[in-house]
Amino acid sequence: MPALPPVPAPVTLPIHGSDRRFPVRRIFCVGRNYAEHSREMGGDPTREAPFFFTKPADALVTSESTIPYPPRTADLHHEAELVVAIATGGRDIPEDQAPAHIWGHAAGNDLTRRDLQAEAKAARRPWDMSKGFDNSAVIGALVEGPLADAPITCTVNGRLTQSARLSDMIWSVPEIIAHLSTYVDLRPGDLIFTGTPAGVGPIARGETCTVAIGDLPPATITIA
């Protein structure tokens, strides 16, 4: 009988100013949560119910990492996003109680194989391989506690590509948590990418991409 594979190492995120690490359970993502980004992707930015997709926890990449250009794509895109870390979960969480379930926040980059996504949309197929590939969830160090409105930006080799404010979201963070909890039982360690502003675009080999949100530590990666 063949030996069992080794138990995978736990996936964790650094916590700013601490030697502790935050254990990661699942990664959820909200699609088209900024009006201008919805328009640039051919959508209608009216307040229809938010929709969600996922990334595997082991797709996580911490800031200051160098990663390979992903296979089977010629159009890798950045998407600057606020990431929310869940401390206590539940199902059917009321919107006014959602903030009490948040542990903290981080800057994130939802890397996307845009050409594969376009092919999947055209064929009415799932997006999984365009969103949930290796090294596709870039996240900076977590900061514990609440977060006020702040600017969110993305730069590629120092060139500004995305710029907005968190208050520009169509669906607020409490609304996202409340709605997502009607689909799944949120648990401690779950992460939520909350959508990206307009200006998504390509990252080429050799380029460095940085997502910054207010005073949160930035999420920076370099493509090998």
Side-chain angles (χ1 to χ4, degrees):
M1 180 179 297
L4 291 172
V7 176
V11 178
T12 62
L13 263 178
I15 297 170
H16 181 61
S18 172
D19 58 2
R20 299 180 299 158
R21 295 186 69 91
F22 185 86
V24 176
R25 185 170 182 267
R26 295 176 295 185
I27 299 175
F28 298 98
C29 307
V30 182
R32 295 183 182 175
N33 197 29
Y34 287 78
E36 290 305 314
H37 173 60
S38 179
R39 291 188 184 99
E40 77 178 348
M41 299 304 292
D44 180 355
T46 55
R47 283 175 57 94
E48 298 174 346
F51 68 93
F52 302 91
F53 57 93
T54 62
K55 293 176 181 275
D58 63 4
L60 191 151
V61 176
T62 55
S63 186
E64 304 298 336
S65 296
T66 297
I67 63 173
Y69 196 91
R72 299 185 67 89
T73 184
D75 197 18
L76 176 67
H77 275 209
H78 61 74
E79 295 193 7
E81 307 203 14
L82 173 69
V83 179
V84 176
I86 298 298
T88 58
R91 185 180 292 275
D92 297 321
I93 297 171
E95 182 184 326
D96 62 351
Q97 297 178 23
H101 293 264
I102 298 172
W103 189 92
H105 305 82
N109 193 343
D110 166 20
L111 295 182
T112 302
R113 294 193 278 205
R114 191 69 72 200
D115 44 2
L116 296 191
Q117 185 186 42
E119 291 172 9
K121 288 180 180 179
R124 298 182 179 273
R125 293 174 179 169
W127 293 3
D128 297 54
M129 291 298 99
S130 68
K131 289 286 192 178
F133 54 96
D134 296 340
N135 304 313
S136 62
V138 182
I139 306 178
L142 280 168
V143 174
E144 187 176 4
L147 180 68
D149 184 29
I152 175 172
T153 63
C154 181
T155 58
V156 177
N157 275 9
R159 176 177 56 88
L160 183 66
T161 56
Q162 292 181 271
S163 180
R165 296 195 66 86
L166 298 179
S167 56
D168 294 332
M169 289 184 189
I170 297 171
W171 295 92
S172 69
V173 170
E175 289 174 318
I176 291 168
I177 291 172
H179 198 82
L180 180 57
S181 72
T182 67
Y183 286 104
V184 297
D185 188 354
L186 287 173
R187 299 288 181 87
D190 287 342
L191 303 178
I192 306 172
F193 280 70
T194 57
T196 192
V200 299
I203 314 173
R205 290 173 175 84
E207 291 187 324
T208 296
C209 182
T210 297
V211 174
I213 301 176
D215 294 330
L216 295 178
T220 298
I221 47 108
T222 297
I223 307 298

